[in-house]
Amino acid sequence: MLERGYDGWRAYSQSKLAMVADTFTLAERLDPDEVTVNSLHPASLMDTKMVRESFGTAMTSVEEGVDAVMRLIADPTLEGTTGRYLSGRSEARAGEQARDPEARAQLEWHARDLVEAALAMPPPAV
């Protein structure tokens, strides 16, 4: 939760890890004939404002990232592909925590707890 000692990059990394982990959980639960769930890291240090401000230079173009996204969306050879982690145009191996069933169960428990707490809050005054 980074309630103390907040670091933007750590928060960013943890949110990406959570999304990849959730991909594997959803892919196990959903019928692949109806829904496919995959994670995509479109490009390494893509030329975005965040990358330029943090690193000064990019390694890949936005166009390369778009190409990877479009391939995942529209390539007929990927139809029905689910529960995968892709980096660019290639299948890759996600980090150990993302694949760990116990870590994924803990993530789901914490996420459910946070959502329930948020739903119990009164709406903001307008």
Side-chain angles (χ1 to χ4, degrees), residues 1-15 50:
M1 291 296 296
L2 299 178
E3 292 173 345
R4 292 179 298 277
Y6 179 83
D7 175 82
W9 274 108
R10 184 170 175 210
Y12 175 82
S13 297
Q14 286 182 330
S15 71
M50 182 177 77

Side-chain angles (χ1 to χ4, degrees), residues 63-86:
E63 290 77 19
E64 288 173 276
V66 168
D67 178 63
V69 171
M70 293 307 297
R71 177 178 177 266
L72 182 58
I73 292 170
D75 187 334
T77 66
L78 294 176
E79 189 170 328
T81 299
T82 194
R84 304 291 172 80
Y85 175 74
L86 295 99

Side-chain angles (χ1 to χ4, degrees), residues 101-125:
E102 186 175 315
R104 290 174 21 216
Q106 288 179 356
L107 171 65
E108 183 176 16
W109 184 86
H110 285 296
R112 183 172 289 146
D113 191 48
L114 289 168
V115 169
E116 287 173 358
L119 290 174
M121 295 173 64

